[in-house]
Amino acid sequence: MKKALRHWLVKLHRYSGLLLSLFIVMAGLTGAALAFNDEIDAWLNPQFYHLAASGPHQPIDALAAKVAHDYPQARLAFFAMEADADAPLQARLRARHEGEALAVDTVFIDPVTASVVGERNTKAVSLAPHNLMPFLFRLHRYLLLDKPGAIISGSLGLLWLATLLIGFALAWPKHRSGWRKALSVKRGAGAFRLMYDLHRSVGLVAGVLLVITAFTGAVMNLPDVARPMVSSLSPLTKPPQSSAHEGKPQISWQQALASAQASMPLATPVRIARDDKHSLYQIRMLRQDDIQDGGSVRVFVDAVDGQVLRSLDPLKGSAGDAFIGVQYGLHTGQLLGLPGKILVAFLGLLPLLFTITGIAIWLKKRKSETIVRARHLHKA
């Protein structure tokens, strides 16, 4: 690498890293916690994940009727079901009119007694136990700003990706014999050398994984950019259109769920949503070997006649479907199960290390440059 080019790349890496420091530390630490989102949430709020009563479950239509009766100001958007049958169901609510705010947007229902065992507002800015994990998720993905926040976060993620790639290029040894030195941390050589060695060696070891994390986060947060680019290379399968006609009665939640289960008898339904605008039900199905905890297969059921219109399995579609389908599993580590989640949690701590070591290196370099300039002025 030419000296002039390296000089400018060092400056670009240094100052982009400083500019992004608060963002990447926040994203890393919240991402580390979110790698075990359900586990932490269950520990903080056991009533949301464990039933007090035992017995046969009531039909999901009875639970939907309970929600409609108790929360008339809202409409039921979807039910989320834990893979564990001994857990309450989550009913997610939406405002009936655009611009309206709900005091409660998530309701936990005991499927045995149809009683409400918990409520929360996932948009609340609160560190209370029942709001902590939703708050961390919105901070991590949306910067608490909803869609505009996702765009900002995705754009900063691309800048972080470029910063990582530049750092990787700068740290890459010129010769094969240099790898041992590049990956080692010299002891007893002073604080600056320790910071420099940690910054370089950890970056080289974890650089590829951090690049994947930054890239997948940007893809998920910028779908209006990513999906057209992917579809230009490989077609993306579109959701089906319902055969519904205005005025026709719709099938019930239970009937839609039964249709989806009949189409995939070996999978477990983990979420069912109703799209009244397009007269469709969408059911997420979790397979034993799934690539994400929330199920990756989407089954679309016609809300008029109950027919399964399409099952979208990202791993059985086009290359574009597979690419988009694995982003969440890669980003969260769920693609590799528990080891992947542990790895993602560990990676979430590294931006803090890079920020501390990077600032230490910058301050030392700045001090040295100041001394050099002062000497030149003195000689002049």
Side-chain angles (χ1 to χ4, degrees):
M1 185 183 296
K2 293 183 178 180
K3 188 175 181 179
L5 175 60
R6 184 178 181 84
H7 172 77
W8 286 108
L9 287 179
V10 167
K11 285 189 174 294
L12 187 59
H13 177 74
R14 180 183 300 164
Y15 292 112
S16 63
L18 290 171
L19 177 66
L20 292 169
S21 57
L22 289 178
F23 169 74
I24 62 174
V25 170
M26 178 279 298
L29 295 179
T30 54
L34 290 169
F36 291 94
N37 178 78
D38 290 351
E39 292 83 354
I40 296 174
D41 199 30
W43 176 65
L44 293 173
N45 307 285
Q47 72 277 16
F48 294 168
Y49 290 84
H50 304 287
L51 294 179
S54 60
H57 290 194
Q58 297 196 27
I60 197 170
D61 293 320
L63 306 181
K66 171 70 173 176
V67 172
H69 177 270
D70 290 359
Y71 302 90
Q73 76 282 8
R75 63 178 179 84
L76 177 59
F78 65 84
F79 276 112
M81 297 87 78
E82 292 292 322
D84 182 1
D86 294 326
L89 272 66
Q90 293 185 39
R92 292 298 298 267
L93 310 179
R94 296 287 185 267
R96 291 192 176 276
H97 305 287
E98 188 175 351
E100 289 184 352
L102 295 176
V104 172
D105 64 10
T106 304
V107 179
F108 295 84
I109 303 178
D110 187 326
V112 177
T113 64
S115 59
V116 174
V117 297
E119 298 177 337
R120 70 177 165 198
N121 184 351
T122 59
K123 292 189 175 182
V125 180
S126 169
L127 298 180
H130 62 286
N131 285 326
L132 178 60
M133 298 314 293
F135 167 74
L136 292 183
F137 174 76
R138 291 192 66 243
L139 178 61
H140 178 81
R141 183 166 188 182
Y142 300 108
L143 304 178
L144 305 180
L145 298 173
D146 296 322
K147 187 174 181 178
I151 295 173
I152 295 172
S153 179
S155 301
L156 292 175
L158 290 176
L159 183 56
W160 168 230
L161 174 63
T163 303
L164 285 168
L165 292 174
I166 293 172
F168 210 66
L170 291 171
W172 195 270
K174 295 179 180 179
H175 308 288
R176 288 184 180 180
S177 59
W179 274 102
R180 185 173 181 178
K181 181 180 179 182
L183 297 177
S184 63
V185 176
K186 190 173 183 180
R187 298 179 182 179
F192 172 76
R193 181 58 186 267
L194 175 64
M195 293 294 169
Y196 180 84
D197 285 351
L198 281 174
H199 197 84
R200 183 183 187 183
S201 60
V202 175
L204 281 171
V205 172
V208 174
L209 297 176
L210 289 169
V211 163
I212 292 173
T213 302
F215 178 77
T216 53
V219 169
M220 290 190 295
N221 271 9
L222 299 171
D224 294 340
V225 176
R227 293 183 70 88
M229 292 179 65
V230 173
S231 63
S232 68
L233 301 173
S234 177
L236 296 176
T237 305
K238 296 181 179 180
Q241 297 293 323
S242 171
S243 60
H245 297 285
E246 189 175 352
K248 283 195 173 185
Q250 294 191 335
I251 64 170
S252 67
W253 292 82
Q254 192 67 43
Q255 289 172 309
L257 196 60
S259 294
Q261 285 185 296
S263 70
M264 295 186 66
L266 299 180
T268 303
V270 291
R271 171 171 161 164
I272 177 171
R274 186 169 72 185
D275 183 350
D276 292 327
K277 182 179 180 180
H278 299 99
S279 297
L280 289 172
Y281 282 95
Q282 182 182 155
I283 299 90
R284 284 264 183 180
M285 305 296 287
L286 176 68
R287 300 169 303 186
Q288 289 185 344
D289 59 345
D290 217 309
I291 59 175
Q292 61 188 55
D293 296 349
S296 61
V297 181
R298 294 179 293 160
V299 178
F300 294 88
V301 176
D302 194 314
V304 175
D305 57 21
Q307 294 295 313
V308 173
L309 299 174
R310 185 173 298 162
S311 294
L312 294 184
D313 184 340
L315 300 185
K316 293 182 179 179
S318 66
D321 290 333
F323 176 82
I324 294 296
V326 300
Q327 297 301 303
Y328 183 80
L330 280 172
H331 190 76
T332 60
Q334 294 177 11
L335 186 66
L336 300 177
L338 179 60
K341 292 163 71 172
I342 294 173
L343 179 60
V344 166
F346 171 73
L347 291 175
L349 304 178
L350 296 186
L352 178 60
L353 172 67
F354 289 140
T355 297
I356 293 173
T357 56
I359 290 176
I361 294 169
W362 170 62
L363 290 175
K364 178 66 175 178
K365 293 284 187 180
R366 187 181 181 187
K367 183 179 179 181
S368 299
E369 291 170 357
T370 301
I371 293 173
V372 170
R373 283 197 298 267
R375 287 176 179 173
H376 286 166
L377 288 174
H378 180 70
K379 290 180 179 180

